[in-house]
Amino acid sequence: MTAAPPKWVKILMLAAAVYHSRCRQRSIQAELGIVKERMDKRKRNATCIMINLACMEEEKKARRVVPRCLGKWRGSTVSGYLRGGAAGRDEITYRENFRMSIGAFDRLVQLMEGTSFRAQLPSEPITVVRGKARSRRGKNPASLDLANLSLDHPTTRYKVAACLYTMGQGGSMKSNADACGIGKPTLQKWLTAFAKVASKDLRPLFMPGKPWAAEELKAVRGNFASRRGVGGVAMACDGSHVPFRPRCKKEHAKEYRNYKGWTSILAVAFVDSYYRFFDIDVGFPGKAGDNTVLKYNWLMAAIKEDPDKWLGKHGFILGDSGASDADGFFLNPYHAPTAPERCWFNFCHSSTRFFVEETFGRWKNKWRMLLNPLNVDHKLASQLIYASAILHNYCTMYGRENDFTHFEQERRGSCVCYAKFLEKYAAHMCPTCKRRGVQHCVHQASYRNGNAQTANARRAPSAIREELCTELWQRVKGNDPMGNAHLGDADVEVAN
């Protein structure tokens, strides 16, 4: 017989059995806890789903409807402006509310019909063939067209009117949306689509950003020279601050505060002598300067590569003291001059460069959102500012007397200079003769022709400035080698 184990061995075996039993019990309890937690989580999820479903059912049963106007968008204020009164549409109402003539508005609607901005409503009528409705387009089923008709979507004409009205009035988005008989999100959606289409489809027509044809460049330079005889000017450049309310944190919002003390978006534009934007750079915060924007501008890089292609032979750009390019092709005024001839040059320089200031004035006066900003984000605000510059060119070239002859030629892809426009709106009198009240300006011929350029190499603007300063001062004193008439004692007093 084997001997019985000692007592301490029995105690040790019993302790080990108890330990393993407790470990097994703990593992079972842990597994039960995990299962219970999963069950509770599923129960909570099921409860949330039930609550959401109940809320959705309640929303479906009691949807909030805002009765803005009788007849939806067709009974809105903007729709009334669009239709006109008993006598039909009138020119004054369109210019006050849509900022352009009736003919220009109709033409713009035709342009938008061929883009992604067109309304969902089918433009072709629905016909009934053998008892079935069919669409003449053949792209969508006729049943879908009939469904669109029953929903009464706003037409393309109305969408364009709503966008132009909002851009022309500015201010609160809710006020503009109420005037249009739609909601704020809908109006913002339309404005976004309108700005994108303007930048994509209208820009190649009205602000192409391509070198001018020879005749157009000659007309532009001649119109610049008609002011004070400063020849060779192809463009004028300046920046303008557009008010903007930033939607960001305080540390980022301070970047929009300009040197004038209010928040804005900076727009730097290149303008010709017919009050048209050649190009505009929008998007930098108000704290930035003109030189900061010009540093990254595509047009500046293109002009540096081939100045004669963009500015003509010996051409240059007029800029104030805030915009320069290290004596490349920017002609800037003298800084704090004291000599009479330099003061007179600065006066003539400012008078010639004033085309850009007048363009900014016309631009902002037409599109009041540039003075009374819309409460939108930075991206949409920049897009709308850019779109308004394109619309400014459209109204300048085609909105005066509804002449669309050159526009039709441009649509066909031909490189046509706007000869009729350039000839009709060319300046025929300098400010001095206009102030005197004479019927014929004796300075226009020499101002537009100028002295013949004999140098082959492009000269620095600082050297051109010295020559122009001497020439302009001799003209004031009556010793002009071109044989001009004396400009008068009033101009000498201005110079002194």
Side-chain angles (χ1 to χ4, degrees):
M1 293 181 63
T2 57
K7 187 176 180 181
W8 63 272
V9 174
K10 293 181 180 180
I11 295 173
L12 186 61
M13 292 174 63
L14 182 61
V18 172
Y19 174 76
H20 288 298
S21 175
R22 289 182 177 178
C23 288
R24 179 61 178 169
Q25 185 179 2
R26 289 172 183 170
S27 63
I28 293 173
Q29 290 177 353
E31 292 178 0
L32 290 174
I34 293 173
V35 171
K36 185 178 179 181
E37 184 178 353
R38 290 178 180 174
M39 294 295 292
D40 292 341
K41 186 176 181 181
R42 291 180 181 177
K43 187 177 179 180
R44 288 195 299 269
N45 292 340
T47 305
C48 292
I49 292 173
M50 295 297 292
I51 293 173
N52 291 335
L53 289 174
C55 293
M56 290 174 64
E57 290 295 331
E58 290 180 0
E59 289 178 359
K60 287 182 179 179
K61 291 178 181 178
R63 183 179 178 182
R64 182 171 174 263
V65 179
V66 181
R68 293 184 177 86
C69 53
L70 186 62
K72 297 183 180 179
W73 62 272
R74 293 186 182 276
S76 63
T77 303
V78 174
S79 181
Y81 293 150
L82 202 59
R83 292 191 307 269
R89 301 184 298 172
D90 68 292
E91 200 74 30
I92 297 177
T93 301
Y94 268 67
R95 291 186 180 275
E96 284 182 352
N97 296 286
F98 307 128
R99 322 306 289 177
M100 60 181 64
S101 63
I102 295 176
F105 180 86
D106 293 341
R107 197 63 180 175
L108 183 61
V109 173
Q110 292 180 17
L111 288 173
M112 288 297 178
E113 283 287 358
T115 65
S116 59
F117 189 73
R118 72 180 301 273
Q120 299 178 17
L121 182 68
S123 57
E124 296 81 3
I126 303 296
T127 59
V128 178
V129 181
R130 295 180 183 178
K132 296 182 180 180
R134 294 182 181 179
S135 173
R136 291 184 182 178
R137 288 184 298 165
K139 297 180 181 180
N140 297 326
S143 58
L144 181 59
D145 292 338
L146 290 173
N148 287 336
L149 284 171
S150 64
L151 290 174
D152 193 22
H153 290 293
T155 60
T156 305
R157 183 181 186 82
Y158 184 78
K159 291 173 66 177
V160 173
C163 293
L164 293 180
Y165 178 84
T166 304
M167 295 172 66
Q169 305 300 321
S172 170
M173 284 286 288
K174 186 176 186 309
S175 300
N176 289 290
D178 289 342
C180 298
I182 57 178
K184 285 174 56 179
T186 303
L187 180 59
Q188 187 165 340
K189 180 182 177 181
W190 289 1
L191 290 172
T192 303
F194 183 83
K196 289 182 179 179
V197 168
S199 302
K200 180 182 177 182
D201 298 320
L202 300 185
R203 182 181 180 273
L205 298 175
F206 309 115
M207 198 169 67
K210 296 180 180 179
W212 281 312
E215 292 297 326
E216 189 169 8
L217 179 61
K218 180 181 178 181
V220 168
R221 291 175 64 162
N223 225 32
F224 271 120
S226 68
R227 280 285 176 91
R228 294 290 176 180
V230 181
V233 183
M235 301 179 195
C237 178
D238 198 8
S240 180
H241 289 273
V242 179
F244 173 69
R245 302 185 185 98
R247 297 179 175 181
C248 54
K249 297 181 180 179
K250 270 189 177 181
E251 55 267 23
H252 301 304
K254 64 182 181 181
E255 295 294 326
Y256 290 91
R257 191 168 299 279
N258 55 38
Y259 71 96
K260 300 178 182 180
W262 41 275
T263 55
S264 64
I265 292 177
L266 179 61
V268 177
F270 294 86
V271 175
D272 66 8
S273 55
Y274 286 85
Y275 309 103
R276 300 176 300 177
F277 288 105
F278 187 86
D279 183 64
I280 185 168
D281 201 324
V282 184
F284 276 80
K287 191 177 181 180
D290 293 355
N291 284 330
T292 304
V293 179
L294 295 175
K295 181 180 178 182
Y296 301 98
N297 184 262
W298 70 271
L299 182 59
M300 290 289 291
I303 294 176
K304 286 180 181 178
E305 292 181 1
D306 192 354
D308 292 344
K309 177 182 177 182
W310 295 88
L311 307 177
K313 191 174 183 180
H314 306 294
F316 49 85
I317 302 174
L318 285 185
D320 57 5
S321 56
S324 62
D325 64 336
D327 206 18
F329 41 82
F330 262 82
L331 182 66
N332 301 108
Y334 288 105
H335 177 67
T338 55
E341 58 271 18
R342 292 195 171 188
C343 292
W344 176 248
F345 172 82
N346 278 10
F347 173 77
C348 295
H349 179 281
S350 175
S351 180
T352 307
R353 195 185 63 84
F354 206 71
F355 278 104
V356 67
E357 305 293 349
E358 291 178 272
T359 303
F360 282 147
R362 297 184 181 193
W363 176 46
K364 290 189 174 183
N365 186 57
K366 182 177 289 291
W367 307 109
R368 290 306 180 95
M369 70 166 192
L370 304 173
L371 299 174
N372 190 15
L374 300 170
N375 49 339
V376 295
D377 58 9
H378 176 94
K379 182 178 179 181
L380 181 55
S382 301
Q383 291 175 343
L384 290 175
I385 294 170
Y386 193 83
S388 66
I390 298 173
L391 291 175
H392 168 85
N393 283 7
Y394 170 77
C395 294
T396 300
M397 291 187 284
Y398 305 108
R400 298 190 180 187
E401 295 184 5
N402 303 326
D403 186 6
F404 300 100
T405 305
H406 305 293
F407 166 75
E408 291 292 345
Q409 295 173 346
E410 281 290 329
R411 290 286 286 179
R412 299 189 187 101
S414 60
C415 183
V416 177
C417 172
Y418 303 100
K420 185 177 179 180
F421 170 80
L422 298 174
E423 181 181 359
K424 185 172 183 178
Y425 296 106
H428 299 290
M429 189 169 293
C430 69
T432 299
C433 292
K434 186 179 292 186
R435 184 172 63 249
R436 290 176 178 177
V438 299
Q439 296 182 355
H440 176 68
C441 179
V442 298
H443 312 108
Q444 283 296 299
S446 60
Y447 277 6
R448 289 181 176 274
N449 296 329
N451 294 328
Q453 300 283 355
T454 57
N456 293 325
R458 174 171 286 273
R459 296 177 299 165
S462 57
I464 298 176
R465 181 173 62 184
E466 294 296 333
E467 293 183 6
L468 283 173
C469 180
T470 303
E471 178 184 340
L472 294 171
W473 184 244
Q474 292 294 328
R475 188 175 295 155
V476 172
K477 294 172 63 178
N479 300 325
D480 184 15
M482 299 295 295
N484 290 335
H486 192 267
L487 294 185
D489 298 333
D491 296 303
V492 180
E493 293 178 3
V494 171
N496 291 328

